[in-house]
């Protein structure tokens, strides 16, 4: 994700799923303004200095979480998400980290249906849609 605005939207309208290793905030996929509809997972990983003091540890946590998300069996659903890892991510075995991320992502849509998000428009569903396939974009016609 890029920019404070996108992170703020996920923080305000996302469904929070808490795990001992991390907190996951998740919203459905929506393209940026003027962007072509390409459903995909857009993730942000936030590790604060308050959580981990040393930059080496913060970077290692980011790399571990990014790799765990990349290699998840079954892939990621189209969504926008923020992962806020806890210090335990440094010491837990990699397979456990992957399993916890998979559980949290699978759990998120069921919480969204129950209205797990606190803020935002109550009429809009914070549900994460299933994988969507789209037709390739039509190329523009060239003018002579």
């Amino acid at each position: 994700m890029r920019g404070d605005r996108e992170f703020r939207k996920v923080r305000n309208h996302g469904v929070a799923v808490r795990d001992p290793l991390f907190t996951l905030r998740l919203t459905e996929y929506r393209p940026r303004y003027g962007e072509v509809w390409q459903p995909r997972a857009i993730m942000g990983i936030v590790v604060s200095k308050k959580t981990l003091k040393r930059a080496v540890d913060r970077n290692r946590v980011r790399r571990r979480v990014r790799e765990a998300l990349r290699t998840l069996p079954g892939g990621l659903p189209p969504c926008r998400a923020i992962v806020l890892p806890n210090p335990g991510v440094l010491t837990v075995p990699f397979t456990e980290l992957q399993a916890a991320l998979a559980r949290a992502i699978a759990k998120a849509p069921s919480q969204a249906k129950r209205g797990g998000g606190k803020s935002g428009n109550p009429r809009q569903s914070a549900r994460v849609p299933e994988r969507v396939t789209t037709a390739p974009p039509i190329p523009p016609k060239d003018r002579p």
Side-chain angles (χ1 to χ4, degrees):
M1 283 198 288
R2 289 182 271 163
D4 181 53
R5 188 175 183 185
E6 290 185 41
F7 278 91
R8 204 173 333 118
K9 280 184 181 178
V10 174
R11 266 189 253 117
N12 291 338
H13 302 291
V15 175
V17 179
R18 288 176 178 76
D19 190 82
L21 297 175
F22 55 85
T23 300
L24 177 71
R25 271 212 181 264
L26 194 64
T27 61
E28 62 186 5
Y29 170 80
R30 287 190 186 144
R32 293 181 182 103
Y33 178 76
E35 189 178 66
V36 178
W37 178 264
Q38 296 175 328
R40 62 189 189 277
I42 300 171
M43 307 296 280
I45 302 168
V46 179
V47 187
S48 69
K49 283 186 180 180
K50 187 176 179 181
T51 305
L52 291 166
K53 302 288 184 205
R54 297 179 351 155
V56 173
D57 294 336
R58 290 193 303 271
N59 292 336
R60 179 168 289 135
V61 165
R62 277 190 208 100
R63 285 194 304 268
R64 289 193 88 199
V65 170
R66 191 178 304 127
E67 186 64 15
L69 288 168
R70 190 183 72 79
T71 58
L72 270 179
L76 294 167
C79 63
R80 286 185 188 276
I82 299 174
V83 180
L84 301 150
N86 293 334
V89 172
L90 283 173
T91 57
V92 73
F94 188 74
T95 53
E96 286 182 33
L97 176 61
Q98 271 190 319
L101 283 166
R103 275 194 314 270
I105 290 171
K107 191 175 171 185
S110 63
Q111 280 193 354
K113 289 176 191 170
R114 291 189 310 235
K118 294 178 188 172
S119 62
N121 189 347
R123 293 178 184 240
Q124 288 181 341
S125 171
R127 182 177 72 81
V128 178
E130 295 297 318
R131 297 187 199 295
V132 181
T133 57
T134 59
I138 301 170
K141 295 181 180 177
D142 293 329
R143 293 186 181 192

